Amino acid sequence: MRKLKFYFLGFIPGLLLVLFILNKKGASCSYFPSARVKAETLSKDFILKDTFKQEIAAQKIDEKFLKDSILTVGEIDFDKSKAQKKPCPEYLIVYPYKNPKYEVEFEKCKETATFLSLKTLR
């Protein structure tokens, strides 16, 4: 019992210290494929194709809504995506996940994320 007390006496402060250090650095854990694709996409430079610009202008959507809502909250449809395409895989994201309103197709390359099309579903 005494060993267990010593263990927790060191473990809990050490755990808190690690959490504070990682939290300051902005580290996050993205284990699921959808979360990893979204995190990688948000870290890249955005390129909007001319047709995509026209479609978001017609829907009155700005780039902030695209980043903060559609990419962050939306769900990637891997069945309709071409995730194995070389050199730049193509993904399809639906927003919101239940009863989707928008469908965004984008290409994720090494340095950039190119947005190809926006479809309004309802």
Side-chain angles (χ1 to χ4, degrees), residues 5-20:
K5 287 181 187 178
F6 281 121
Y7 173 76
F8 282 115
L9 189 65
F11 178 74
I12 292 174
L15 183 65
L16 292 174
L17 184 66
V18 168
L19 287 175
F20 282 119

Side-chain angles (χ1 to χ4, degrees), residues 22-70:
L22 290 179
N23 206 14
K24 276 189 177 181
K25 291 186 178 188
S28 65
C29 299
S30 302
Y31 292 112
F32 295 110
S34 182
R36 289 175 52 195
V37 170
K38 290 190 278 188
E40 288 173 9
T41 303
L42 288 169
S43 69
K44 299 185 183 310
D45 294 330
F46 281 22
I47 297 174
L48 307 177
K49 291 282 188 182
D50 291 333
T51 55
F52 188 81
K53 286 180 185 177
Q54 293 169 355
E55 291 165 355
I56 64 171
Q59 295 295 324
K60 297 178 182 158
I61 296 173
D62 60 346
E63 198 170 325
K64 182 174 174 29
F65 181 76
L66 177 68
K67 286 181 181 179
D68 294 344
S69 295
I70 295 176

